[in-house]
Amino acid sequence: MLRRSLENRDAQTRQLQDAVTNVEKHFGELCQIFAAYVRKTARLRDKADLLVNEINVYASTETPHLKQGLKNFADEFAKLQDYRQAEVERLEAKVVEPLKAYGTIVKMKRDDLKATLTARNREAKQLTQLERTRQRNPSDRHVIAETELQRATMDATRTTRHLEETIDSFEKQKIKDIKTIFSEFITIEMLFHGKALEVYTAAYQNIQKIDEEEDLEVFRHSVYPQDYSSRLDIVRANSKSPLQRSLSAKCVSGTGQVLTCRLRKDQQTEDDDEEDEDLDVTEEEN
């Protein structure tokens, strides 16, 4: 009966040991992956900082509206990296560190398991010794072996009860910590992405405010400032509708006809004047 009780407690201890090993394995994996996630986020922040610097450098070479729009975009994007930095710090403190702490917690539970197993082994050894003594049947040794077995059994029972209480508390804390860690992760990510949506909206609006026509005018003035007016007239003329070009052509045509009529009338007047002069000369000769 004592042997069966010992075997049952050994099976229970193995289950508790498996539970601790399971936490050690998977919490270690989670810790490594979350840490890599945080490092990737930090590297993304660094790349974004480089992008902000390059946008500012490029903006300084551009036309006024484009320059202002790009600088405003860079300012918003830089603000987003401040939020990303806060995200990195919070993930490190609220997610990675609690998972990393389980390395120490698991080590303590393994020490408890080791103490329990040591007590169990001592109990099993005493039980085996008692059985051998009973087979030999010397009374004094039999009494001594039973006393040692009782001590070993009490010690094993005490350590087993302590281990059960410890593992029960460990399991309870594990579930609570999992809920807390993943809730913190989701909250941190939601806060960042909520702020990111606000910043990206403002950045988008700044880009849309860039006045393309005004910047194009500035560019044209800078490229060909002397004959820009004549070129602009040509561009405007080419941009007229077919109806406008037809009306302009008719106006030009009408103006040409009027000028032709005037020239013919003036020429006829001059011819009449010459004929009058010829008549006057003939009368004087007569």
Side-chain angles (χ1 to χ4, degrees), residues 23-38 91-106 170 173-174 177-182 185:
V23 170
E24 182 181 30
K25 175 185 176 182
H26 293 290
F27 272 52
E29 290 292 332
L30 287 171
C31 183
Q32 290 181 5
I33 295 171
F34 271 121
Y37 181 92
V38 174
L91 288 173
E92 186 71 32
K94 300 292 186 179
V95 177
V96 177
E97 287 300 323
L99 287 172
K100 191 184 296 183
Y102 263 80
T104 303
I105 295 172
V106 167
F170 170 75
Q173 189 64 41
K174 178 198 73 175
D177 287 343
I178 281 290
K179 289 179 64 177
T180 301
I181 289 169
F182 278 84
F185 174 74

Side-chain angles (χ1 to χ4, degrees), residues 8-45:
N8 290 336
R9 282 184 293 176
D10 285 342
Q12 183 185 32
T13 302
R14 283 194 296 271
Q15 288 181 345
L16 297 176
Q17 192 172 13
D18 291 341
V20 172
T21 301
N22 188 59
V23 170
E24 182 181 30
K25 175 185 176 182
H26 293 290
F27 272 52
E29 290 292 332
L30 287 171
C31 183
Q32 290 181 5
I33 295 171
F34 271 121
Y37 181 92
V38 174
R39 288 194 299 272
K40 289 285 186 181
T41 304
R43 283 199 285 270
L44 179 60
R45 173 208 59 206

Side-chain angles (χ1 to χ4, degrees), residues 233-252:
D233 291 338
I234 294 172
V235 171
R236 287 174 178 171
N238 291 333
S239 64
K240 288 181 179 181
S241 66
L243 180 60
Q244 290 175 325
R245 287 198 295 268
S246 176
L247 291 174
S248 298
K250 287 181 179 180
C251 290
V252 171

Side-chain angles (χ1 to χ4, degrees), residues 13 17-18 25 55 60 72 148 150 160 284:
T13 302
Q17 192 172 13
D18 291 341
K25 175 185 176 182
I55 291 173
S60 63
N72 290 339
E148 292 296 328
Q150 287 177 357
T160 299
E284 286 179 0

Side-chain angles (χ1 to χ4, degrees), residues 147-206:
T147 302
E148 292 296 328
L149 177 59
Q150 287 177 357
R151 289 179 182 175
T153 301
M154 290 177 61
D155 188 35
T157 302
R158 179 181 56 81
T159 55
T160 299
R161 186 178 299 112
H162 173 71
L163 179 63
E164 290 173 352
E165 293 174 354
T166 300
I167 295 299
D168 186 78
S169 175
F170 170 75
E171 188 70 15
K172 181 180 179 181
Q173 189 64 41
K174 178 198 73 175
I175 297 171
K176 182 179 179 181
D177 287 343
I178 281 290
K179 289 179 64 177
T180 301
I181 289 169
F182 278 84
S183 296
E184 289 287 353
F185 174 74
I186 293 169
T187 301
I188 292 167
E189 290 296 293
M190 287 176 64
L191 285 172
F192 170 74
H193 288 290
K195 290 293 185 181
L197 184 59
E198 295 178 8
V199 172
Y200 280 131
T201 300
Y204 179 83
Q205 291 172 348
N206 284 319

